[in-house]
Amino acid sequence: MERMKTMQGIRTRRVLMRRMFVRIACYTILFILLVAAARLLVGDALSAFIADVTAPWVDVPEATADYMRLFGNQFQEGMRVNGVATFRDLTDYHFVVGIIKGPVIWSAYIIGLVIVLSVSCVDAAAIVDQLTHAIERMAEGDDASKLSDELSSVQRELELLGEREKLQVRAAQAAESRKNELVAYLAHDIKTPLTSIVGYLALLAENPDLPLEARGRYAHNALDKARSLDGMMDEFFEITRYNLSAIPIERELIDTRLFVEQVADELFVQARDRNVELVVDAPEGIEAFIDPKKMARALSNIIRNGIAFAREGSEVLCKVVRDGDGIVFTVTDTGKEIAPAHLERIFERFYREESARGVGGAGLGLAIAREIVEAHGGTVRAQSAGGVTTLTIRVPAEG
């Protein structure tokens, strides 16, 4: 909502500034036209009136008439009366006309300009009130109120931002609801393996004379249930970690071959349990400037996904190549195909569409992987066709 207020504030300022400049330009042109019209219509009459008031006619002897004629800009010659020349001194007339052409006209222009700016300020206050009211309504979850016609562009932006905000709120609510459901499901499901573990251990403790075969079977069953419980706890931790603050990235230059081999080694037992072979294809000499711990978590999540859904007896191929100014990690498995409709959604948090790749997990592994990759300035995408699924990570070779 704060971002919305900032964006609309910028747009509103632009609208107000544009309206103010248009008004000033229109007022200036109108003022010039009015001054020009006044000069054409009443200029001569006004000049004559001012001259009559400020410069009375005076009889001048013929001896000085020639002298006054030399200063025609200051003295005006009139008609002869009884053969005597008449003149009038225009000094006061020019002074009054200068005042009218200068301070009076400019003062009138400035007063009008102040009035125009005052009207603009009043309009601006009304527009800001409209916008504030509209944003407050949106903050309360209502639709934005109707703005005036001059704010039609802002109105459209508000409507688009309102829809986007509602979508984000609904997505956040859906994710929170899904998370709560997962926590509830996991909390309920934890009771089953925990009850079994307690039961098998109680049998072993209460019957020390059980045959070795029975003791081994009970111990094996308890171990299986403990592993199941361990997996559920991992899901709890994934959900908790996802809600922490932004992922901090601390890069360093690493050898990609050694990096991928170490990640694959950590998942060897999981691959063996599913009868899946992990294969690493990483040439020597390729280095990447990444956070090894964070990127190992991202790559591990993707490889786990491949192991979980690969066909038994198949292989999961982990490959590294340099492509221009980027390093590309790919994880390919052969198993159940991902429908095109689910290819992008598998990276959404808490997304566990059963028709996509089966069930299991909190639906966070790939979402976390994407966040880590994007924090490195990279991208992650998925392709699936003919039962072959490839997840590709691309990160800059250098920071």
Side-chain angles (χ1 to χ4, degrees), residues 2 16 28 108 139 161 183 197 216 226 236 250 253 270 274 288 295 297 364 373 381:
E2 290 300 324
L16 294 176
T28 301
L161 286 172
V183 171
I197 292 170
F236 266 123
E250 298 177 350
L253 201 61
Q270 183 175 335
R274 291 215 67 249
M295 190 58 70
R297 185 180 176 195
L364 279 173
V373 172
R381 59 187 178 87

Side-chain angles (χ1 to χ4, degrees), residues 302-320:
I302 290 177
I303 296 176
R304 286 177 190 273
N305 182 80
I307 293 172
F309 300 109
R311 185 176 63 246
E312 289 191 13
S314 65
E315 68 177 27
V316 174
L317 175 62
C318 308
K319 189 174 181 178
V320 182

Side-chain angles (χ1 to χ4, degrees), residues 188-247:
H188 177 270
D189 291 345
I190 280 175
K191 293 182 179 179
T192 301
L194 186 59
T195 301
S196 298
I197 292 170
V198 172
Y200 286 125
L201 293 179
L203 285 173
L204 292 174
E206 294 169 1
N207 300 278
D209 297 331
L210 282 173
L212 290 178
E213 181 181 352
R215 293 176 64 86
R217 185 170 66 254
Y218 293 157
H220 180 74
N221 290 341
L223 179 60
D224 285 343
K225 297 301 180 182
R227 287 173 175 168
S228 176
L229 181 61
D230 182 61
M232 292 180 183
M233 294 305 300
D234 286 341
E235 293 184 31
F236 266 123
F237 288 133
E238 287 294 312
I239 294 173
T240 303
R241 284 197 294 262
Y242 195 86
N243 289 327
L244 296 179
S245 58
I247 301 172

